[in-house]
Amino acid sequence: MSDGRHPFANQRIAVMGLGRAGLPAARALQRLGATVRAWDDTPQALVDAREAGLPTGPLDDLAGFDALLLSPGIPHTLPAPHKVAQAARQAAVPILCDVEFLFRAVRATGSSARFVGITGTNGKSTTTALLGHMLHVAGVPHAVGGNLGPAALDLPMLGSDGVYVLEMSSYMLERIATVRFDAATMLNLSADHLDRHGDMAGYAHAKRRIFDRQDSSCVGVIGQDDALTAATEVSPARLVRISAEQPQAGGVWAEGTQLRDDAVVLADLARAPALPGSHNAQNAAAAAALALALGVSRENIAAGIASFAGLPHRQERVGVRHGVVFVNDSKATNADSAARALACYERIQWIAGGIGKAGGISGLAGNFPRIAQAWLIGRDAEIFAATLALHGVAHRVVGTLEAAVAEAAAAARAGETVLLSPAAASFDQFANFEARGDRFRALVANLANGKAA
């Protein structure tokens, strides 16, 4: 029988995908009593799993298994299901993510720790980290992870006074079955991951699953600054509206740099250097609304906003040289996210490109007057160049990040910003957006040290 220490005893769980989330999840499931069989299509990942003491073997036949934990990056439906996902369907085995297993494990201990879910196309990570910081300031036991930071099953088991703050991607939300978020937010929605969800309606449906199973004791925090998100229903949960643009009765919103609710001004965002721009005003409003729902005082919310250090690769100021500021916004993997960064600076040497998303960068035209010159890299540099040419924006296709940093730094004048905000995925030239941002940071450091970029 299962118990609080071994909630998955007598369960056979298959784990497909042994990367950042999959390997620690497989180890945790084994520790929590499950009989695990792990697999990955990469030979080195299988070596790592065996060295970690995990049984490995093909997952072509899942008859007799209780669940499949499928890595978020592996499709189970569109654009084409992985063969292991097909095997799970044939055997009627549920396909789950690690947050589902965390929820079940915590509840098996008898803990009523609260779960907070944060989703949206942009701003998830900043909002997640900011809420975690507010809870730290308030002295509330908590753990932060999911799509950001530690994988869910690497988080500690919290008692009933604890709070899990979990960034939830659309890939993860498709694979939860019993998780109920005591408080959840949908920040915004714009086109992203349409290959995995078929179309915008499918993507929005996946995101809205964060509110599934909420009841009248729960809170749903909904961004009001785009029509698709604003139309989201959360009943029977209590609805709290947030905005960076306009007052929201009973909610949280920004008026200029003042973040407020119906009662008071909560914080002055002008004193929060890690939260520039209106998009971060929305992030701060969401974090504050969630914190209020969790019982955090307004004083601790204000202190948390003022002392928040920000996150790497999200408008991260990485250097200043000859009056030119260098900003790493490598996390901007789509045009909507890049628009938020472009709107924050007056005169920009823009480094962009990689694997573009549906729609390209034509939606950024309103910010093109801010661009002194664009330096284009990666697979879709020529596509980006064609759009910029139509709008008369100075640009050069330079191919690599190394060339872009060197040329942008040489061209920039005091008061300008060299902004890496690619509006594209990184996988053509880098392992992920973190590797791209790390390389940018290193190149800027080389400039400061008088070395070639």
Side-chain angles (χ1 to χ4, degrees), residues 108-151:
T109 69
S111 170
S112 56
R114 288 175 290 179
F115 279 69
V116 178
I118 295 168
T119 201
T121 304
N122 297 300
K124 298 184 296 295
S125 295
T126 296
T127 303
T128 300
L130 178 56
L131 177 58
H133 182 62
M134 290 175 179
L135 294 172
H136 170 74
V137 170
V140 176
H142 67 285
V144 178
N147 197 50
L148 168 74

Side-chain angles (χ1 to χ4, degrees), residues 93-339:
V93 171
I95 301 171
L96 305 173
C97 73
D98 58 351
V99 169
E100 176 67 28
F101 289 102
L102 173 67
F103 183 80
R104 295 182 185 188
V106 170
R107 291 295 180 256
T109 69
S111 170
S112 56
R114 288 175 290 179
F115 279 69
V116 178
I118 295 168
T119 201
T121 304
N122 297 300
K124 298 184 296 295
S125 295
T126 296
T127 303
T128 300
L130 178 56
L131 177 58
H133 182 62
M134 290 175 179
L135 294 172
H136 170 74
V137 170
V140 176
H142 67 285
V144 178
N147 197 50
L148 168 74
L153 281 170
D154 256 359
L155 298 176
M157 293 292 113
L158 298 177
S160 294
D161 60 345
V163 177
Y164 289 96
V165 182
L166 301 170
E167 178 183 324
M168 298 296 295
S169 70
S170 57
Y171 299 172
M172 296 165 71
L173 287 166
E174 286 186 309
R175 299 173 187 169
I176 59 173
T178 66
V179 178
R180 188 199 71 163
F181 289 108
D182 300 274
T185 187
M186 173 91 78
L187 297 166
N188 47 64
L189 284 169
S190 59
D192 206 6
H193 305 306
L194 300 189
D195 59 330
R196 278 286 293 267
H197 301 292
D199 54 21
M200 196 63 196
Y203 176 57
H205 176 75
K207 288 289 196 181
R208 288 171 177 153
R209 292 197 65 195
I210 201 166
F211 303 108
D212 287 359
R213 293 170 296 281
Q214 283 196 313
D215 59 29
S216 59
S217 70
C218 301
V219 173
V221 176
I222 303 296
Q224 300 296 302
D225 297 336
D226 68 275
L228 189 56
T229 309
T232 300
E233 297 283 344
V234 300
S235 179
R238 178 167 64 89
L239 170 64
V240 177
R241 297 181 176 88
I242 58 161
S243 175
E245 300 173 356
Q246 54 193 346
Q248 301 294 326
V252 180
W253 69 94
E255 291 182 1
T257 66
Q258 303 293 304
L259 187 72
R260 64 165 303 128
D261 64 5
D262 286 333
V264 295
V265 172
L266 295 166
D268 184 357
L269 297 175
R271 298 181 180 178
L275 295 168
S278 62
H279 64 292
N280 274 318
Q282 186 191 56
N283 297 337
L290 292 167
L292 288 169
L294 294 168
V296 176
S297 72
R298 289 176 170 81
E299 292 75 17
N300 283 326
I301 290 170
I305 288 172
S307 59
F308 181 58
L311 286 171
H313 314 300
R314 296 153 179 89
Q315 292 200 59
E316 176 192 13
R317 183 167 164 154
V318 297
V320 180
R321 181 174 180 265
H322 306 318
V324 176
V325 177
F326 292 77
V327 175
N328 168 23
D329 193 44
S330 183
K331 181 64 169 66
T333 58
N334 58 59
D336 189 58
S337 185

